[in-house]
Amino acid sequence: MTELVPGGNLPLPGGVLTLRVPGPFDVCALITGEGGKVGGDADFVFHNQTAAPGVRLRGDTLTVEPARLRPGAAGVTVAVSPAEPGIPLGRLPASTLHVTDPRGRSIARFTPPRQPRGTVLLLAEVYRRDTGWKLRAIGQGYADGLAGLARDFGVDVVEDPPGAPARRPDVPRQRSAPPVADPAPAGVPAPDPEGVLGLVNSARASAGSPPVSLDARLVAAARGHASTMAAAGRLAVESPDGTSVHQRITATGYAYVTVGEHLVSGPRTPAEFVAYCLRTEKARRTLQDPAFTQAGLARVTGARTGDTYWTALWARPLAPGDPARTCAEVVALTNEERRGAGLPPLASDPLLTTAAQAHCADMVARDFYSHTAPGGSQPWDRAAAAGSARRTIGENIACGQRSPAEVVEGWMNSPGHRANILKPAFTHIGVGFVGGGRAGTYWTQLFGA
């Protein structure tokens, strides 16, 4: 049997594999394609949807048969969260993964480092390599729980209140964004005939957060999606054509630093809607998030069902100096980590910065997330193309994080990314940041020596 550490991997035998995580945890699995994204609702296996082709969940145990996964599947990511909502993983026993082969023999075990604050943990991945399959230990936690995991798939959806019937989450699909006709004009404030903004800002003030204003572009995007849900008679994180929240917003011409969303059905008045959002911790945190400065709010009642559907968009627009300030803060936080490890700081390199920024923009434009671009270019190729003559190159990428502090913390919690940040040989750094695309935000650190 192999004892794995974060980042460790081992080849897997053919046949049905059993992956068990005993303890007070909910286990789920995400079936992903080559790009690391799910293909649709059927690729999410959890307590309300316990089976998909090649994957089955029974209690604390997943069975995975790679040969029977859906066409195009390249991996199965296993995640755990506390069975009792609201309890951080740090208060629970270790979430140890036990892997057995088709004969019932134990072939691997992985106990990740303790996660003192997180409430969701990406535990491991079964992934295809050439003609075979391997297991990789991950051990990556999310400090903001399921919302952080959802952002990796491009959405932050409000949970139902206690006692409400369980809903099956809609998982983002890989589609391109269609054009949106007649986007709202940039910078135009939106009217608030129903007074919902006053209720929202009163709730924000109670948490010490500044008020938000309505933006016409966000209101247009929110109204379009609320109308779509009302017509279909169901909550959905995507439009029928697969358009995600980030794609809906950027299609209106709105550029942002950070964005969040609430999708709610049921409340009929603004007061009921705000009360609903304040009822659960995650929804309340989004509504009261001090990072947001603008909002788009809309409700539409379905003609067939009579149900009311709400879409609330929360955002902070991208100001002219934001990208440079954001990247400078990433550099500063990176150098704080190096100083704490007794290493000299990295100097900002304009050529590496150009290459890092270009890679972020490319990931948004061509809808991928990888160190290898669709044309095959690698980090050192991009550095050279920008004019850099540095001989040693390293790269960290991330997507979905909403602040420099969050992205640097995530990199430092990942052994491979941490090794790049704390590599003594590196002397220079370039940082890129772009808001938009499927994940919402894209980050690149390019190191050189």
Side-chain angles (χ1 to χ4, degrees):
M1 184 186 68
T2 301
E3 290 279 358
L4 292 171
V5 297
N9 62 81
L10 82 159
L12 292 170
V16 179
L17 304 164
T18 301
L19 294 83
R20 179 172 177 258
V21 187
F25 305 105
D26 279 339
V27 182
C28 66
L30 299 159
I31 302 164
T32 57
E34 293 288 354
K37 300 294 183 181
V38 298
D41 291 359
D43 283 349
F44 189 27
V45 176
F46 67 120
H47 58 85
N48 278 351
Q49 181 171 273
T50 58
V55 180
R56 181 174 295 276
L57 173 64
R58 292 178 179 173
D60 61 5
T61 302
L62 281 164
T63 54
V64 178
E65 188 173 3
R68 298 191 62 186
L69 294 174
R70 63 162 174 83
V76 178
T77 300
V78 180
V80 296
S81 59
E84 185 69 27
I87 297 179
L89 290 168
R91 295 185 186 176
L92 300 178
S95 51
T96 299
L97 173 68
H98 301 264
V99 184
T100 56
D101 68 10
R103 297 184 179 182
R105 296 176 299 188
S106 180
I107 58 174
R109 184 169 59 198
F110 172 52
T111 302
R114 298 302 296 271
Q115 305 289 325
R117 291 179 293 170
T119 55
V120 172
L121 178 68
L122 288 186
L123 197 54
E125 178 188 23
V126 175
Y127 65 100
R128 187 172 61 226
R129 174 57 56 89
D130 299 325
T131 59
W133 290 80
K134 302 183 74 174
L135 175 74
R136 177 189 294 119
I138 301 176
Q140 177 186 347
Y142 289 85
D144 52 355
L146 289 174
L149 181 61
R151 278 200 305 274
D152 275 2
F153 291 88
V155 66
D156 180 8
V157 183
V158 65
E159 291 187 342
D160 288 317
R167 299 182 184 271
R168 182 167 60 87
D170 289 284
V171 182
R173 295 179 286 276
Q174 272 194 297
R175 306 281 180 87
S176 59
V180 174
D182 300 324
V188 176
D192 181 27
E194 296 183 308
V196 64
L197 190 64
L199 296 171
V200 166
N201 283 331
S202 175
R204 289 176 63 84
S206 68
S209 298
V212 294
S213 61
L214 292 177
D215 180 90
R217 295 160 295 177
L218 295 177
V219 170
R223 185 180 299 115
H225 191 57
S227 298
T228 297
M229 292 191 297
R234 68 182 184 91
L235 289 175
V237 299
E238 290 183 346
S239 304
D241 56 11
T243 303
S244 72
V245 56
H246 304 101
Q247 293 165 325
R248 288 194 295 272
I249 292 173
T250 55
T252 68
Y254 189 99
Y256 59 85
V257 176
T258 184
V259 67
E261 182 181 51
H262 284 145
L263 304 177
V264 178
S265 67
R268 294 186 174 274
T269 67
E272 289 178 3
F273 167 74
V274 173
Y276 185 103
C277 292
L278 293 175
R279 204 172 297 161
T280 61
E281 179 185 355
K282 293 170 188 174
R284 181 171 62 252
R285 188 165 61 239
T286 298
L287 186 146
Q288 296 177 333
D289 192 331
F292 297 134
T293 60
Q294 293 183 331
L297 305 165
R299 65 168 172 167
V300 175
T301 299
R304 288 189 298 106
T305 65
D307 293 332
T308 301
Y309 292 84
W310 293 79
T311 298
L313 298 174
W314 316 93
R316 187 179 118 208
L318 189 68
D322 276 345
R325 284 193 294 269
T326 299
C327 294
E329 189 172 347
V330 172
V331 173
L333 291 170
T334 299
N335 281 331
E336 282 184 20
E337 298 292 348
R338 287 179 63 88
R339 278 192 291 271
L343 297 170
L346 302 171
S348 292
D349 185 309
L351 299 179
L352 295 179
T353 298
T354 297
Q357 186 68 22
H359 189 51
C360 288
D362 192 26
M363 287 191 287
V364 170
R366 293 200 277 178
D367 193 21
F368 74 97
Y369 176 68
S370 174
H371 294 287
T372 304
S377 69
Q378 301 286 344
W380 43 90
D381 300 319
R382 295 188 287 269
S388 175
R390 302 198 179 278
R391 295 182 177 180
T392 303
I393 295 292
E395 184 180 73
N396 287 344
I397 60 174
C399 66
Q401 293 78 10
R402 303 197 309 182
S403 69
E406 184 178 343
V407 74
V408 172
E409 180 183 12
W411 280 328
M412 288 300 293
N413 287 335
S414 167
H417 299 93
R418 178 188 179 93
N420 272 341
I421 289 175
L422 301 182
K423 186 171 182 176
F426 286 141
T427 57
H428 290 74
I429 187 174
V431 173
F433 164 76
V434 171
R438 188 176 306 277
T441 55
Y442 291 79
W443 311 76
T444 299
Q445 285 180 315
L446 201 57
F447 305 91

